[in-house]
């Protein structure tokens, strides 16, 4: 078990290095130049060259990548080209805001989706199951920005009972922060709830066809006890995987939701940096998002191996 965990960690680290290479060279391949954007079209060639030299853009790309990777490994992402401030300092508060938003959404979405999945299995092919499936299909079909605009129109514009979370900061009281992020958190919950619920239902139904479940039914056990005590534990591995994928999406996919609600998180920060071609910020945000995504999936693999002993052995 320890060896498998170490191999997962090594593969995750190798994947992160490969992703960092793609991020750096992908940003390098973008057309245009920050110096020209910053100085304007009337900039002289000498002024543009001076800016490029000050930012280190006159150095070979390989050298700049190695320097950036070495700094990122130590938590130093360099300075923002637009503001001149350390990128790590600017990211710290915004990363906390994004994790807080994703965490609150996960606390609501995960137990609710698993519970609805169990309920759909318990009332399989009956009205409750069909109603849950219809609602979940409708939720999956709507993109998150559209859901966000609908919530804004209904709760903020028509009813006036919600506000935009653009003033959220780390020192706010918890109750105020929860009230401020109500709409973006609800948007994220609606987006990921349906997928997790449907996968939970499918995983448990797959187990329900097993012979030992039929034996439990023939012994006269209550349906809810069969599902909760016998079917759900054996369906835990695929449920963990789908929950982990959606948790990773909550952290990485907040970009659209943060832009819609003007939420001061990592996604909004990265979009603002793209607008002004602040490449160190874009690279840092991309690498952090990739690291979080890889870490969550690694944890899901490890938890799945713990929950299902069969995954610990080669077939």
């Amino acid at each position: 078990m320890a060896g498998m965990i170490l191999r997962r960690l090594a593969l995750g680290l190798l994947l992160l290095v490969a992703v960092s290479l793609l991020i750096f060279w992908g940003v390098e391949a973008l057309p245009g130049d920050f110096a020209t954007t910053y100085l304007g079209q009337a900039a002289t060639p000498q002024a543009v060259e001076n800016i490029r030299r000050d930012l280190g853009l006159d150095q070979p790309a390989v050298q700049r990548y190695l320097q950036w990777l070495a700094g990122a490994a130590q938590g130093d992402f360099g300075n923002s080209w637009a503001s001149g401030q350390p990128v790590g300092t600017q990211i710290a508060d915004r990363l906390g805001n994004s994790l807080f938003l994703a965490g609150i959404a996960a606390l609501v979405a995960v137990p609710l989706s698993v519970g609805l999945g169990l309920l759909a299995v318990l009332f399989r092919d009956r009205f409750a199951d069909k109603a849950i499936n219809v609602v979940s299909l409708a939720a999956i079909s709507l993109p998150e920005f559209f859901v966000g605009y609908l919530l804004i129109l209904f709760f903020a514009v028509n009813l006036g009972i919600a506000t935009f979370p653009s003033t959220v900061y780390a020192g706010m009281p918890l109750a105020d922060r929860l009230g401020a992020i109500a709409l973006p958190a609800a948007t994220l919950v609606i987006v990921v709830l349906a997928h997790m619920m449907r996968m939970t239902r499918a995983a448990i139904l797959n187990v329900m066809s097993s012979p030992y479940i039929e034996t439990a039914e023939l012994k006269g056990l209550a349906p809810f006890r069969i599902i909760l005590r016998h079917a759900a534990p054996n369906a835990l591995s695929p449920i963990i995987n789908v929950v982990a994928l959606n948790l990773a999406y909550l952290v990485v996919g907040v970009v659209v939701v943060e832009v819609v609600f003007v939420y001061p998180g990592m996604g909004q920060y990265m979009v603002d940096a793209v607008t002004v071609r602040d490449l160190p910020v874009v690279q840092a945000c991309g690498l952090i998002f990739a690291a979080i995504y890889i870490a969550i999936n690694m944890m899901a693999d490890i938890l799945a191996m713990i929950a299902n002993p069969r995954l610990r052995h080669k077939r």
Side-chain angles (χ1 to χ4, degrees):
M1 187 68 180
M4 295 183 69
I5 292 176
L6 290 176
R7 283 195 295 271
R8 286 289 192 279
L9 293 174
L11 287 174
L13 184 60
L14 184 62
L15 180 59
L16 185 59
V17 173
V19 170
S20 72
L21 188 62
L22 289 176
I23 291 173
F24 184 87
W25 291 104
V27 171
E28 285 290 315
L30 292 176
D33 183 75
F34 172 79
T36 304
T37 304
Y38 181 74
L39 296 175
Q41 295 296 330
T44 63
Q46 185 60 43
V48 172
E49 185 62 29
N50 291 337
I51 290 291
R52 290 180 57 84
R53 185 171 59 253
D54 293 339
L55 298 177
L57 295 176
D58 57 335
Q59 299 176 1
V62 174
Q63 181 180 347
R64 286 187 285 113
Y65 168 72
L66 294 176
Q67 291 175 349
W68 173 71
L69 185 61
Q74 303 174 25
D76 180 13
F77 296 99
N79 294 331
S80 167
W81 290 353
S83 65
Q85 301 297 320
V87 175
T89 303
Q90 294 181 333
I91 283 179
D93 291 338
R94 292 178 174 269
L95 178 60
N97 286 339
S98 292
L99 292 178
F100 179 74
L101 174 60
I104 295 299
L107 286 177
V108 176
V110 172
L112 187 59
S113 62
V114 174
L116 288 176
L118 293 174
L119 189 65
V121 174
L122 183 63
F123 297 99
R124 178 177 35 181
D125 297 329
R126 293 158 66 178
F127 176 76
D129 181 27
K130 294 178 181 179
I132 292 174
N133 281 326
V134 169
V135 173
S136 65
L137 282 174
I140 290 175
S141 303
L142 297 175
E144 56 264 39
F145 69 87
F146 185 70
V147 174
Y149 287 132
L150 287 180
L151 294 180
I152 291 172
L153 177 64
F154 186 73
F155 290 102
V157 177
N158 294 341
L159 298 181
I161 60 176
T163 58
F164 281 90
S166 57
T167 57
V168 171
Y169 58 91
M172 286 180 66
L174 180 60
D176 293 340
R177 294 187 74 184
L178 291 176
I181 69 167
L183 290 185
T187 302
L188 289 174
V189 169
I190 292 173
V191 169
V192 302
L193 176 65
H195 187 222
M196 286 194 290
M197 188 280 297
R198 289 179 63 82
M199 291 302 295
T200 299
R201 178 183 181 276
I204 296 178
L205 284 179
N206 186 45
V207 176
M208 292 293 289
S209 61
S210 302
Y212 75 92
I213 297 295
E214 296 179 3
T215 302
E217 292 173 346
L218 292 175
K219 290 175 64 177
L221 296 180
F224 184 73
R225 183 180 179 185
I226 293 175
I227 294 171
L228 192 63
R229 296 288 301 275
H230 300 284
N234 287 284
L236 198 58
S237 179
I239 293 175
I240 288 175
N241 288 328
V242 72
V243 168
L245 286 174
N246 282 274
L247 290 180
Y249 173 79
L250 282 177
V251 178
V252 179
V254 294
V255 176
V256 174
V257 174
E258 289 183 0
V259 172
V260 169
F261 289 95
V262 201
Y263 184 75
M266 283 276 290
Q268 180 69 44
Y269 185 46
M270 186 171 69
V271 170
D272 292 341
V274 170
T275 303
V276 297
R277 300 190 59 81
D278 195 348
L279 300 190
V281 174
V282 176
Q283 291 171 341
C285 291
L287 187 63
I288 291 173
F289 280 143
I292 293 174
Y293 195 93
I294 292 171
I296 291 177
N297 280 279
M298 260 197 322
M299 291 177 60
D301 287 342
I302 294 172
L303 290 176
M305 287 189 295
I306 294 174
N308 189 352
R310 290 173 294 182
L311 297 178
R312 306 175 199 171
H313 307 283
K314 295 182 180 180
R315 296 185 180 184

